[in-house]
Amino acid sequence: MNDVRFEFEVYSEDYVQGGSVSSDIKKYLHQIGINQKLIRKIVICSYEAEMNIIIHSLGGNLILEIKQDLILLISSDKGPGIKDITLALTAGYSTAGSKAREMGFGAGMGLPNMKKNSDLFEITSCPNGTNIKMSYYI
Amino acid sequence: MKVKDLLKNISFKLITGENLDKEIGGVYTGDLLSWVMSHAKKDDAWMTVQTHLNIVAVAKLLDLACIIIVENAEIESETVEKANSENITLIQTHYNSFEIMKSMLVKDD
């Protein structure tokens, strides 16, 4: 199979569509025969990344790349960035506002969930945006 | 136990969903969505007081058997619409999570 790449736009504060990109990703991975266990890991990460863009950022996108023996999930947004990545990666730490918390977000589990459910987790952040690259071995 | 077996108890009200023959594989209770995402399993019945429309996405992504809104938490109309369009089974009850689990265990003999 040739390498495949999909790009999905995610909008700031678009709670109504929250999860729809992850749903498309799940459907596609299922169609190409990726095993259920790996789909679950990728979908947990894509959902967290998608909701993070909606809750915390000014908008961004999710990219799914399927390679020969590797799947990449890349989340990139337009800012405002994460001030302290180490703190943000600590389970239970959250900067989510009251609206997001009322909706059951802001548990401080997003980034830790992504890190735990990916084989390789790379994150960079500055005021212009946050980029997260998650790799999964097929 | 199937979803339809839950509904034999008149305290469980079906709000949306048609796939009532779905087998309930387990139960999960929680209101923090990230926590539910990483811990609930396929075919679980998920008990929560969260009622905004993102619970539908969680249920769909995890292939949950149904969502049970406990303690008669008021369900937002957008959530009902979304659950309908995604064919997610949404059930409402006045019971709390403990009472539901107790009733499921007793009826599962």
Side-chain angles (χ1 to χ4, degrees):
Chain A
M1 192 173 80
N2 291 329
D3 291 0
V4 183
R5 184 180 191 274
F6 294 102
E7 190 168 333
F8 306 89
E9 191 85 17
V10 182
Y11 300 96
S12 179
E13 293 193 32
D14 187 8
Y15 289 94
V16 175
Q17 291 301 320
S20 60
V21 167
S22 301
S23 186
D24 288 346
I25 288 175
K26 179 185 164 193
K27 209 183 293 172
Y28 178 72
L29 293 174
H30 187 73
Q31 276 170 9
I32 61 168
I34 302 296
N35 80 62
Q36 290 296 330
K37 224 171 158 181
L38 183 55
I39 292 179
R40 179 182 161 94
K41 285 170 66 179
I42 297 169
V43 165
I44 288 172
C45 293
S46 72
Y47 177 77
E48 296 291 2
E50 187 178 354
M51 292 316 301
N52 269 354
I53 294 175
I54 291 170
I55 295 167
H56 297 285
S57 86
L58 302 169
N61 58 46
L62 280 180
I63 294 165
L64 179 73
E65 280 184 37
I66 320 279
K67 296 176 181 291
Q68 193 64 36
D69 51 3
L70 189 74
I71 295 176
L72 290 178
L73 179 67
I74 298 158
S75 166
S76 70
D77 69 51
K78 298 173 196 154
I82 300 169
K83 274 188 190 149
D84 187 332
I85 291 178
T86 311
L87 208 50
L89 278 164
T90 310
Y93 177 81
S94 176
T95 58
S98 56
K99 186 185 172 195
R101 283 174 196 267
E102 269 172 31
M103 295 174 84
F105 300 108
M109 294 301 296
L111 290 177
N113 268 355
M114 287 185 237
K115 194 175 174 189
K116 187 176 143 196
N117 286 288
S118 52
D119 294 319
L120 195 62
F121 177 86
E122 297 157 86
I123 180 167
T124 56
S125 189
C126 70
N128 291 330
T130 299
N131 286 286
I132 303 170
K133 186 171 152 190
M134 290 161 279
S135 312
Y136 311 84
Y137 305 117
I138 300 174
Chain B
M1 182 185 227
K2 292 183 172 174
V3 172
K4 68 179 178 190
D5 296 324
L6 262 185
L7 297 166
K8 285 178 189 161
N9 183 331
I10 56 161
S11 296
F12 291 92
K13 185 175 151 200
L14 181 68
I15 307 295
T16 66
E18 289 163 1
N19 190 10
L20 306 182
D21 278 318
K22 195 157 188 182
E23 196 71 37
I24 295 176
V27 286
Y28 193 83
T29 181
D31 303 316
L32 293 172
L33 302 193
S34 288
W35 200 274
V36 176
M37 263 315 281
S38 63
H39 292 88
K41 302 275 190 306
K42 183 176 185 289
D43 297 329
D44 277 355
W46 172 29
M47 299 178 282
T48 182
V49 292
Q50 289 293 350
T51 61
H52 65 86
L53 52 80
N54 223 264
I55 60 172
V56 177
V58 171
K60 191 179 171 196
L61 290 171
L62 294 178
D63 292 319
L64 301 181
C66 61
I67 307 172
I68 306 173
I69 304 297
V70 301
E71 298 178 55
N72 269 343
E74 197 180 324
I75 307 174
E76 296 167 23
S77 58
E78 293 90 343
T79 307
V80 175
E81 277 171 36
K82 184 102 174 167
N84 255 326
S85 69
E86 302 284 356
N87 198 17
I88 296 293
T89 303
L90 203 55
I91 293 166
Q92 189 182 38
T93 179
H94 62 78
Y95 287 137
N96 65 32
S97 300
F98 172 70
E99 289 164 333
I100 295 169
M101 284 199 230
K102 203 167 66 172
S103 75
M104 286 173 95
L105 287 172
V106 170
K107 284 186 180 136
D108 219 21
D109 291 343

